[in-house]
Amino acid sequence: MPEGKKLVIVESPAKSKSIAKYLGDDFIVDASAGHIRDLPQPSELPTDMKKGPFSRFAVNPDDGFAPYYVISDSKKKKVTELKRALKDASELYLATDADREGEAIAWHLLQVLKPKVPVYRMTFTEITNEGITRALQNVRQIDDDLVDAQETRRILDRLYGYEISPVLWRKVGKGLSAGRVQSVATRLVVERERERMAFIPAGYWDLSGSFATAAGEEFTAKLNAVDGARVATGADFNDRGELKSTRSKTEVSVLDREAAEALAEGLTKAEFTVDSVEDKPYSRRPQPPFITSTLQQEASRRLRFSSRATMQVAQRLYENGYITYMRTDSVTLSNEAITAARRQITELYGADHVPASPRLYSKKSETAQEAHEAIRPSGDHFRTPGQVAKELSKDEFKLYELIWKRTVASQMEDAKGFTASVRLSASVSGGPKAGTTATFGASGTVITFPGFLAAYEEIRESTSEDDEAKAGKADKRLPKIETGESLIGRDVQAKGHETTPPARYTEATIVAELEKREIGRPSTYAPTISTIMDRGYVTKRGSALIPSWTAFSVIRLLEEHFGKYVNYDFTARMEEDLDQIARGELQREAWLQGFYFGAEDGVDGLKHVVENLGEIDARAINSIEIAPGVNLRVGRYGPYLERPNPDGVVNAEGELEPQRANLPQDLAPDELTVAKAEELFEQAQYSGRVLGTDPETGREIVAKDGRYGPYVTELIEEMTEAQLEEHMKSLPTEYYKNGKPKPKKKPAKEKPRTGSLLSDMTLETVTLEQALRLLSLPRVVGADADGEEITAQNGRFGPYLKKGSDSRSLETEEQMFTITLDEAKAIYAQPKQRGRRAAVPPLAEFGADPTSEKQVVVKDGRFGPYVTDGETNVTVPRSVSLETLTKEHAYSLLAEKRAAGPKKPGAPKRAAKSTAKKAPAKKPAAKKAPAKKTTAKTGS
């Protein structure tokens, strides 16, 4: 390194390359590649420390919770390189991220490198010329309070995990873990599944129909009331399937099938009269710009990104200078960002979309602390998605576009329009309900000025049929009608409904729930979700998070014996305490003393709780009653069902062996009903059924019930002791160089062939012939032109072909046995479909649009059916079924969508490449940052 150069250290190589572009020749930028040291595992401690005060946690609770840090083997070379670079440097700039984690990394670098030159803490939230210039002008010293907060969190998590996890190992299973945030997140998922398991559905009926004016204009409406009593909807029932106590039966009418069909029949030829028509102004404000949690939620809904994937892509966008720092819980935008957004709105959407004064958003909570600005496009002049499209990968572009749209929309005018509501009624003319007055209602919101909707509209997840009905009111235009007008009722139909259990959490909704409860911080959401999935506590089905039975056992143990530590409010208070430490309002050591050893007010600490657990009944913890006498057990090899068996075999203890049945791995807890349990017990009766003997090998073939489903296998007899002894004697003796004989190796056990039953087979009916056919898999189909073997196999997700690492799905199970080499080659000749569906015919066709003259069809999209003419797309309102959608309505929807879209003044000019000079380093008057005082020991 040339003498006199200034050394800048960041976390990642990608970040170092990006900021180097904006610094002058006086600077050298290097990367630490994350943390250079951390708390070691107790097994990694030096031998002389494995029996001392640091032996359990690599932290000494009796000496102010002093941590023992070590430089990992993988970082020793990097530390040497940094020390060498620092040797010739004139100044050191620690430019790690502007949050607690980044502050801690900077402090560790300071402690290890021990610089003898001036040291400055340099922070920025965007990697642009403007951002780096401002950072150099505002350098500071390391914030010891932020470092204390991060170190406290790290020690807290070590104490929590290392004290509670061993209890889980002993009472539930090896390899499990407890964590301050992960255990609470798992509890949320388990509690939601418990609600679903206890849920009792309620049935109710209503009516809907089409109504036409004298001019022939049609709209749909639903039955609202019968003789003045409001018709019940799903929201009127509780989770036990009963009408809520707050609903009076005289005020709410619950229709059954008979009553609903009688009303529908009696209204077939009835004359309806409009009772009331109301128009109310509608206005909707834009959402604030993204913070970490809302970015993860929206990327999950719109882009189907996991929280982990969202943060990985956002990290790349930040490090390469496209967006501001992505771990933040502040919704504030800088003045430069607001100016950039308002300028771009004027250019792209017109001056009428810019509000008279900038929109200012306040922090969502008083504890917002991770960074100083919302997530937005970087720079004082935003680049449009079109301007960066060729520079980004597919996923990077999608996320950048989402962030750009949300940021720009946050500074746009409100969307405006009106909400129209109409009520109409008729008297039932005949049948058992003759004389009954039926009142129908319809409403819809029409947007007359799109405002921010021209750039962005947030997607919200529907959790019930009622939510979908509300969503369907948007963009629904009612015909012009007046009070007293007569309408013609058409196709009045009775429709049955059933209440649905609470929706499972998705990654988006659990992040929202954690944020609402103020549990965790921006940097913890994605790692928490990844952890509970990696530990096997939660799996995904589609986007839904489903808890495992192991998670039920873990949460039950924690609730019964560590209730405080999985309490939502307690966990949120810990986050607030860490924030107070970061602000210098609480002392690190005193807080840890209270948490671990207990507080002065008599509240027990974690150490006392663990030492006084008493006896924990592992069998009870791992048991869940499914029905009287039927229990689910979480065992060493997975969950299984168990019940008394009067006809069972007596075991060595003189007790009857219970009847057991395996659970399919893909069976969700709420799907394990009493009927399903009986079905599994029935299937288990045939487990072990002998099908016959394989004529080729002479081995017995049996059908069994396993944790992955029913299968067939061959029984391979093990050698007797005499046979094994004879075999060992027959082996030649080998010798070491010193003349001593080498021990002889026992023969490896032969692995039996197995094959999962096909979808049309059962343990009771599978035959020997079918079993031998299954055991013949995988079948070699042949070799392609390059000589690579193609096989047909049966996998967890169905039948498929395999050639090297390239797999292709087969359409039927029978193809595994019949597909020819030519047919297999034809499949491999087609482009591989990566998660895309094959082209499907349209749901409906309506001919040529009168405006665009293009063919109008209805297609099935990600968010439901939509109408398109190939240029304009518009979602079919949820209140409109495909059966009732007419071509006139479809043409009208397209026309409204075209009219609502803004007329862009022209394509924005591509921003010219910056010719700004390198940002000069401002020489601050700050003194060298002193090393933080600590009693902690360190290892090299």
Side-chain angles (χ1 to χ4, degrees):
M1 178 177 182
E3 191 170 348
K5 295 274 188 177
K6 298 165 183 142
L7 177 62
V8 179
I9 302 179
V10 296
E11 302 99 318
S12 73
K15 188 175 173 183
S16 68
K17 291 177 183 177
S18 296
I19 72 168
K21 296 184 294 186
Y22 304 110
L23 294 169
D25 294 336
D26 292 340
F27 291 85
I28 296 294
V29 186
D30 206 338
S32 67
H35 278 279
I36 58 170
R37 64 178 190 171
D38 195 6
L39 299 176
Q41 298 289 334
S43 60
E44 299 169 347
L45 287 167
T47 305
D48 62 337
M49 295 183 66
K50 288 184 177 179
K51 293 184 179 180
F54 291 91
S55 60
R56 289 194 63 197
F57 312 115
V59 171
N60 185 355
D62 298 319
D63 185 18
F65 294 89
Y68 179 83
Y69 293 113
V70 298
I71 300 171
S72 65
D73 291 339
S74 62
K75 293 297 176 69
K76 288 180 178 178
K77 181 180 178 183
K78 171 53 67 176
V79 169
T80 301
E81 292 172 355
L82 292 175
K83 286 183 175 180
R84 187 183 303 122
L86 181 60
K87 193 174 182 181
D88 298 322
S90 60
E91 294 175 352
L92 173 62
Y93 290 79
L94 299 172
T96 48
D97 288 340
D99 58 11
R100 295 176 193 166
E101 201 74 23
E103 204 74 16
I105 292 173
W107 179 80
H108 281 290
L109 285 167
L110 186 64
Q111 297 297 303
V112 172
L113 298 180
K114 296 180 173 58
K116 297 179 181 179
V117 296
V119 179
Y120 307 105
R121 178 76 171 104
M122 174 180 168
T123 59
F124 43 83
T125 58
E126 61 178 0
I127 303 176
T128 60
N129 189 57
E130 305 96 322
I132 301 304
T133 300
R134 284 191 285 266
L136 285 170
Q137 293 170 347
N138 294 278
V139 294
R140 58 174 174 80
Q141 293 186 349
I142 287 176
D143 188 325
D144 286 349
D145 292 329
L146 288 179
V147 175
D148 270 351
Q150 191 279 338
E151 188 172 77
T152 303
R153 181 198 63 78
R154 185 72 184 93
I155 294 172
L156 166 64
D157 290 344
R158 176 60 64 97
L159 297 172
Y160 190 115
Y162 278 40
E163 284 285 17
I164 300 178
S165 295
V167 182
L168 301 181
W169 304 340
R170 295 193 300 270
K171 300 300 179 180
V172 182
K174 293 180 179 179
L176 302 177
S177 70
R180 179 175 52 93
V181 179
Q182 73 167 28
S183 295
V184 170
T186 304
R187 184 186 176 199
L188 284 171
V189 179
V190 168
E191 284 191 338
R192 179 58 54 87
E193 197 72 10
R194 287 172 178 166
E195 292 171 9
R196 291 175 63 88
M197 293 168 72
F199 182 81
I200 300 173
Y204 63 96
W205 285 70
D206 61 14
L207 275 65
S208 64
S210 297
F211 300 88
T213 65
E217 294 181 286
E218 287 192 9
F219 65 96
T220 58
K222 289 183 66 175
L223 180 67
N224 282 348
V226 176
D227 285 338
R230 182 173 59 79
V231 174
T233 66
D236 293 309
F237 298 90
N238 60 29
D239 287 351
R240 296 183 300 278
E242 303 165 344
L243 201 63
K244 290 180 179 177
S245 58
T246 54
R247 311 296 199 260
S248 166
K249 291 189 177 180
T250 58
E251 297 174 355
V252 178
S253 175
V254 182
L255 297 181
D256 58 17
R257 178 171 186 164
E258 183 180 353
E261 290 181 343
L263 281 172
E265 184 179 352
L267 291 169
T268 301
K269 296 181 180 179
E271 182 178 320
F272 286 82
T273 303
V274 177
D275 297 330
S276 65
V277 179
E278 291 183 5
D279 279 349
K280 294 181 180 179
Y282 170 85
S283 181
R284 181 176 164 193
R285 292 173 59 85
Q287 294 287 326
F290 282 130
I291 58 177
T292 304
S293 61
T294 53
L295 176 63
Q296 291 177 9
Q297 293 167 47
E298 199 71 347
S300 174
R301 296 186 186 109
R302 286 180 178 266
L303 308 179
R304 299 296 187 261
F305 285 3
S306 67
S307 296
R308 176 189 287 176
T310 298
M311 296 311 292
Q312 288 173 341
V313 176
Q315 180 88 29
R316 294 198 299 270
L317 289 173
Y318 165 66
E319 290 181 343
N320 288 291
Y322 290 100
I323 64 170
T324 54
Y325 191 53
M326 66 287 160
R327 284 188 281 273
T328 175
D329 49 10
S330 169
V331 293
T332 304
L333 287 177
S334 65
N335 292 332
E336 293 82 4
I338 292 174
T339 301
R342 289 170 65 85
R343 183 190 308 116
Q344 203 155 61
I345 295 165
T346 304
E347 294 171 354
L348 298 178
Y349 302 100
D352 58 337
H353 283 67
V354 183
S357 57
R359 291 188 183 274
L360 302 178
Y361 298 95
S362 59
K363 294 179 180 179
K364 298 203 72 175
S365 70
E366 292 300 319
T367 59
Q369 44 76 32
E370 291 288 345
H372 306 296
E373 195 173 1
I375 303 169
R376 62 167 176 85
S378 60
D380 294 349
H381 295 79
F382 295 165
R383 288 169 286 182
T384 66
Q387 290 173 321
V388 300
K390 293 182 179 180
E391 304 169 15
L392 303 176
S393 69
K394 183 179 178 181
D395 287 349
E396 289 168 351
F397 174 79
K398 286 180 179 179
L399 196 64
Y400 180 84
E401 182 182 41
L402 191 65
I403 294 167
W404 178 86
K405 285 181 175 180
R406 178 75 165 236
T407 306
V408 170
S410 73
Q411 290 300 315
M412 294 176 73
E413 276 282 13
D414 293 352
K416 294 183 174 63
F418 63 89
T419 298
S421 301
V422 59
R423 290 176 69 85
L424 53 147
S425 61
S427 181
V428 178
S429 57
K433 292 291 183 178
T436 301
T437 300
T439 303
F440 285 70
S443 62
T445 299
V446 177
I447 303 298
T448 56
F449 176 71
F452 75 92
L453 294 178
Y456 180 87
E457 182 169 10
E458 187 180 35
I459 295 174
R460 300 187 183 277
E461 295 191 15
S462 297
T463 57
S464 68
E465 206 169 291
D466 291 335
D467 289 341
E468 292 183 7
K470 292 175 185 176
K473 294 179 182 178
D475 299 321
K476 176 182 174 182
R477 187 181 293 276
L478 297 175
K480 186 173 178 58
I481 50 180
E482 296 181 358
T483 303
E485 184 176 342
S486 295
L487 300 176
I488 302 169
R490 297 174 179 172
D491 195 27
V492 177
Q493 293 185 346
K495 186 177 180 181
H497 307 270
E498 195 173 75
T499 54
T500 56
R504 288 190 177 98
Y505 285 111
T506 63
E507 289 201 27
T509 55
I510 199 169
V511 166
E513 186 68 20
L514 289 169
E515 182 190 24
K516 183 179 80 172
R517 294 176 181 270
E518 297 188 348
I519 294 171
R521 285 295 177 260
S523 58
T524 65
Y525 298 131
T528 295
I529 293 171
S530 296
T531 298
I532 64 177
M533 294 181 69
D534 293 343
R535 292 284 184 270
Y537 294 149
V538 171
T539 57
K540 287 179 76 172
R541 180 186 293 178
S543 60
L545 301 178
I546 302 176
S548 65
W549 291 110
T550 299
F552 275 75
S553 295
V554 166
I555 294 305
R556 180 176 176 181
L557 187 152
L558 294 178
E559 287 173 336
E560 292 182 6
H561 300 278
F562 296 95
K564 179 172 73 171
Y565 300 98
V566 287
N567 177 275
Y568 302 126
D569 293 336
F570 176 79
T571 307
R573 285 197 300 274
M574 282 198 289
E575 296 289 359
E576 167 58 21
D577 290 345
L578 291 173
D579 292 338
Q580 289 188 48
I581 293 172
R583 297 192 294 267
E585 298 167 4
L586 273 180
Q587 293 301 310
R588 159 192 170 281
E589 183 181 339
W591 189 87
L592 285 170
Q593 286 280 351
F595 172 79
Y596 190 65
F597 291 113
E600 294 180 357
D601 57 7
V603 177
D604 292 335
L606 177 61
K607 185 175 188 292
H608 180 270
V609 172
V610 172
E611 291 175 348
N612 294 274
L613 282 174
E615 188 61 35
I616 298 177
D617 186 344
R619 184 174 177 82
I621 288 293
N622 290 287
S623 299
I624 300 170
E625 188 177 65
I626 303 301
V630 179
N631 288 286
L632 179 138
R633 312 281 191 200
V634 178
R636 181 179 178 185
Y637 300 107
Y640 61 93
L641 290 173
E642 184 179 273
R643 69 179 176 187
N645 183 11
D647 301 322
V649 178
V650 177
N651 60 25
E653 286 77 29
E655 299 175 347
L656 286 174
E657 284 285 349
Q659 185 180 3
R660 294 189 176 95
N662 287 308
L663 259 67
Q665 193 179 38
D666 58 353
L667 186 71
D670 75 330
E671 294 169 354
L672 182 58
T673 61
V674 175
K676 184 64 179 178
E678 284 296 333
E679 179 186 322
L680 294 171
F681 278 123
E682 181 71 20
Q683 176 176 284
Q685 290 184 69
Y686 301 99
S687 183
R689 184 168 74 92
V690 178
L691 305 181
T693 303
D694 184 344
E696 291 187 11
T697 64
R699 294 170 178 170
E700 252 187 358
I701 307 300
V702 297
K704 290 190 173 184
D705 182 26
R707 59 183 299 197
Y708 300 107
Y711 67 99
V712 292
T713 187
E714 60 183 348
L715 299 182
I716 301 176
E717 290 187 10
E718 294 186 11
M719 287 184 178
T720 64
E721 288 188 14
Q723 288 173 328
L724 181 59
E725 184 179 352
E726 187 65 29
H727 173 80
M728 298 297 284
K729 286 180 180 178
S730 67
L731 296 176
T733 303
E734 296 181 354
Y735 296 90
Y736 292 112
K737 291 180 180 180
N738 61 7
K740 291 184 178 181
K742 291 182 179 181
K744 295 180 180 180
K745 293 183 180 179
K746 292 182 179 180
K749 288 185 179 181
E750 185 180 351
K751 188 175 180 181
R753 294 173 296 159
T754 61
S756 296
L757 298 195
L758 303 186
S759 57
D760 61 346
M761 299 176 182
T762 66
L763 289 176
E764 181 183 6
T765 61
V766 65
T767 65
L768 175 62
E769 182 183 359
Q770 290 173 323
L772 293 175
R773 202 177 186 212
L774 293 172
L775 294 177
S776 71
L777 297 173
R779 179 176 74 91
V780 177
V781 178
D784 66 0
D786 298 329
E788 194 163 13
E789 192 175 76
I790 300 175
T791 58
Q793 306 189 31
N794 191 18
R796 182 179 175 188
F797 302 107
Y800 66 99
L801 292 174
K802 187 173 180 62
K803 183 178 72 170
S805 60
D806 190 355
S807 300
R808 304 295 177 96
S809 296
L810 292 174
E811 294 180 359
T812 66
E813 292 173 327
E814 185 61 25
Q815 282 183 292
M816 292 187 292
F817 308 102
T818 61
I819 192 167
T820 65
L821 179 59
D822 288 340
E823 289 170 337
K825 286 180 177 179
I827 291 174
Y828 275 103
Q830 300 297 320
K832 187 167 185 177
Q833 297 291 327
R834 297 188 182 275
R836 296 182 181 177
R837 298 181 300 174
V840 294
L843 302 176
E845 300 181 24
F846 292 124
D849 182 87
T851 303
S852 68
E853 299 183 351
K854 296 183 180 294
Q855 292 297 311
V856 176
V857 297
V858 180
K859 293 186 175 183
D860 191 13
R862 181 193 295 175
F863 306 113
Y866 66 96
V867 180
T868 180
D869 63 353
E871 292 182 350
T872 304
N873 300 334
V874 57
T875 301
V876 177
R878 293 180 182 176
S879 58
V880 178
S881 67
L882 289 179
E883 292 75 18
T884 61
L885 180 66
T886 64
K887 66 178 181 181
E888 290 79 11
H889 193 178
Y891 299 157
S892 174
L893 289 171
L894 289 170
E896 290 175 17
K897 182 66 178 289
R898 294 189 197 101
K903 296 293 183 183
K904 297 184 181 181
K909 294 181 180 179
R910 184 175 292 274
K913 290 185 177 179
S914 174
T915 57
K917 295 181 180 180
K918 305 281 187 180
K922 179 181 178 182
K923 292 189 176 180
K927 296 180 180 179
K928 174 184 173 182
K932 179 187 174 190
K933 293 182 180 179
T934 178
T935 57
K937 295 185 179 181
T938 59
S940 56

